[in-house]
Amino acid sequence: MKSGFYRTYDADFDARLSNQTHAGNRWRVNDETISFHPEHGERWETQANGLLQIEISENLRDLTAAELLMEVWGGHPHTRNKRFILNGKGEYSLPEVGTANGHCTYSYPCVPVELHHLVKGMNAFQFSCERGESFWGHFIIDTARLCCYLEEKCALDTLGLLSFQPEIAVSRLGDSSTIKLSLNSASEHHSAIQRVDYFGRYSDFDDRGMNSEYSWHGYTQKHQWHNRIGSSVDAPFSVNWDTQMLPEQTHALAFSAELTLHNGLKYRTPVREGIQFGDRPYSVQLIHCSNLPAPFWSRAGQKREATFQLDLDTQQIEQAWLGVRIWDGGEGDVDHPFLLNNYPYTITSGQAIHDLVFTEIAVDPRHLRTGENKFTLCSDTEHHGIEILLPGPCIKIKVPRAATQKTEHSE
């Protein structure tokens, strides 16, 4: 996470510019030959041209860096080489997070861009992709935001301040810990802050779909934050973080905060590194499926299954949680589209919203078995259906420290 002052500019959807003819404010990107496909070439989606525009008003000489943040449905499995050209000046690649290998994905690329590739005014981002082994190379950008980082003096002048040095204050972590800001001039700086969102870098369920458990956690949906550590709108902007179901950590934790200021600027604090857990009388393990289908996607009544292994007496489990990310194209008329060992758990919106749904819910330990456990997915929709996104469904279990277990992890 880059620290400092920045201003954000969002892409405004214009159906005329993107050559869209149907279905909402999102940018569709297609492979280069899909218009000539004998089966799909006449579909309205293939008319989308992958053009996205963002207008900025910055004096580029006042900037220190810029980056493009996106919310991306990874598209049809096996679509590859997602990329864009900025203003005809430079080509940039989006990180590959599993789509090219046949998985369903939803991710949050953050792509630094060269300042000399930007213009003051309207900036054109021309996206493209390749079909690879897919039947149709295709992905969707739900939102895009350009972050422009300002020289510190320019930002302080707009705030009417001589300095601004908020830092994260946090001590050794217990089951519940307080995280807050430490400000160098409390009364003056409190009045400049509208909201504070706190984030952590630690090992846990990959809620951002970026193919890494040890990473910054918290994701956006239509630019609104979800699953971050917490947020506050009242000075001194402290939050309490419950870590009782946080898995065992092999790295020290790190923290940062995003400050939304009353004048429209944002500020990212320097990263606070090296925070350690206190001793816990229990252990929390994150358990992955060992045989995740590629893609893990059901429609037209096709069942899909994945399994995970528990090598312990399930009576030792004090708590269990299910975490799963899906792209919700609907379950059709199936009463129970998602089962754990034949027990139903709700992971869809029930409204076929054609968007990301992240579920983290308690699991009855009695529904778990020693040995092999099975997830079953089924939708009977004609199109779309339910896509289980990487990293796939995961189980977190809390057991006494003395209990032992072995888990199998998928790559």
Side-chain angles (χ1 to χ4, degrees):
M1 284 188 170
K2 182 175 175 54
S3 64
F5 293 97
Y6 61 99
R7 189 177 282 115
T8 62
Y9 296 89
D10 294 342
D12 289 325
F13 185 81
D14 188 327
R16 297 167 301 171
L17 291 175
S18 296
N19 199 29
Q20 297 276 26
T21 59
H22 189 267
N25 298 347
R26 45 180 40 169
W27 292 267
R28 293 179 177 270
V29 185
N30 294 293
D31 71 63
E32 62 183 6
T33 63
I34 192 61
S35 296
F36 294 89
H37 195 284
E39 180 180 356
H40 308 299
E42 296 300 320
R43 290 179 57 128
W44 66 266
E45 298 98 328
T46 67
Q47 299 173 31
N49 58 24
L51 176 64
L52 179 153
Q53 293 188 304
I54 302 178
E55 185 173 12
I56 66 174
S57 57
E58 301 292 344
N59 183 337
L60 299 181
R61 289 183 291 273
D62 292 337
L63 302 184
T64 62
E67 56 192 14
L68 184 66
L69 308 180
M70 292 158 280
E71 301 174 5
V72 175
W73 173 67
H76 297 152
H78 295 292
T79 297
R80 63 182 297 273
N81 196 17
K82 303 182 183 78
R83 62 199 187 277
F84 64 87
I85 295 175
L86 173 54
N87 291 328
K89 299 179 179 181
E91 184 170 284
Y92 299 84
S93 295
L94 275 60
E96 174 52 53
V97 294
T99 313
N101 291 327
H103 293 284
C104 298
T105 67
Y106 197 103
S107 63
Y108 297 85
C110 174
V111 181
V113 299
E114 298 288 345
L115 293 179
H116 59 272
H117 291 165
L118 295 172
V119 297
K120 183 177 182 178
M122 192 65 73
N123 290 264
F125 298 79
Q126 180 62 64
F127 284 84
S128 57
C129 65
E130 295 177 10
R131 186 176 303 176
E133 297 178 11
S134 175
F135 67 99
W136 171 1
H138 183 71
F139 72 100
I140 293 175
I141 303 166
D142 280 324
T143 68
R145 168 172 285 176
L146 190 65
C147 296
C148 296
Y149 288 84
L150 280 68
E151 291 277 4
E152 184 176 11
K153 183 180 185 307
C154 295
L156 290 175
D157 287 347
T158 67
L159 287 167
L161 299 174
L162 295 177
S163 65
F164 190 75
Q165 298 173 335
E167 297 178 346
I168 297 289
V170 60
S171 57
R172 192 176 180 87
L173 295 174
D175 284 353
S176 180
S177 300
T178 299
I179 303 171
K180 60 183 179 180
L181 285 182
S182 175
L183 295 167
N184 56 336
S185 178
S187 59
E188 184 181 30
H189 292 164
H190 282 168
S191 63
I193 301 171
Q194 181 180 12
R195 175 190 178 97
V196 179
D197 291 282
Y198 291 95
F199 303 89
R201 186 177 65 209
Y202 51 87
S203 295
D204 202 352
F205 181 87
D206 180 15
D207 59 345
R208 293 172 54 80
M210 297 301 293
N211 202 26
S212 176
E213 291 174 2
Y214 179 69
S215 63
W216 292 101
H217 291 272
Y219 65 94
T220 58
Q221 200 158 10
K222 305 299 183 285
H223 297 308
Q224 300 301 309
W225 282 112
H226 300 272
N227 208 43
R228 68 240 182 273
I229 287 175
S231 65
S232 175
V233 297
D234 298 313
F237 306 105
S238 63
V239 298
N240 292 320
W241 188 31
D242 185 345
T243 63
Q244 292 185 72
M245 288 303 289
L246 199 66
E248 302 302 296
Q249 302 292 306
T250 57
H251 302 83
L253 284 72
F255 297 89
S256 182
E258 179 187 80
L259 282 59
T260 301
L261 308 179
H262 282 291
N263 70 344
L265 285 179
K266 292 181 180 290
Y267 179 83
R268 180 78 68 171
T269 65
V271 175
R272 176 72 186 276
E273 304 268 8
I275 305 300
Q276 300 286 345
F277 257 124
D279 294 332
R280 304 194 294 187
Y282 56 86
S283 172
V284 178
Q285 302 295 328
L286 180 64
I287 301 167
H288 293 261
C289 294
S290 57
N291 60 340
L292 202 65
F296 202 165
W297 176 4
S298 175
R299 65 182 187 181
Q302 299 170 324
K303 287 187 177 181
R304 295 288 185 266
E305 294 181 344
T307 61
F308 65 94
Q309 193 79 9
L310 276 181
D311 292 337
L312 82 166
D313 183 351
T314 56
Q315 292 185 354
Q316 297 174 322
I317 298 174
E318 297 178 355
Q319 281 184 273
W321 286 79
L322 165 71
V324 61
R325 308 165 73 239
I326 71 165
W327 192 84
D328 186 4
E331 57 264 52
D333 295 323
V334 176
D335 290 332
H336 302 301
F338 187 75
L339 303 173
L340 167 58
N341 292 332
N342 292 322
Y343 294 99
Y345 283 85
T346 301
I347 65 168
T348 71
S349 67
Q351 299 174 343
I353 60 173
H354 290 217
D355 206 346
L356 173 74
V357 176
F358 174 45
T359 299
E360 192 172 33
I361 54 175
V363 168
D364 187 335
R366 294 173 298 180
H367 295 170
L368 297 171
R369 304 169 180 165
T370 300
E372 185 177 88
N373 294 256
K374 181 186 298 183
F375 291 114
T376 305
L377 179 72
C378 186
S379 167
D380 65 3
T381 58
E382 182 180 353
H383 299 291
H384 300 297
I386 303 169
E387 301 176 15
I388 293 192
L389 306 165
L390 289 182
C394 297
I395 293 288
K396 285 198 282 190
I397 61 170
K398 178 181 179 183
V399 296
R401 175 65 63 181
T404 61
Q405 69 172 37
K406 300 177 182 178
T407 63
E408 291 186 8
H409 293 261
S410 61
E411 291 296 330

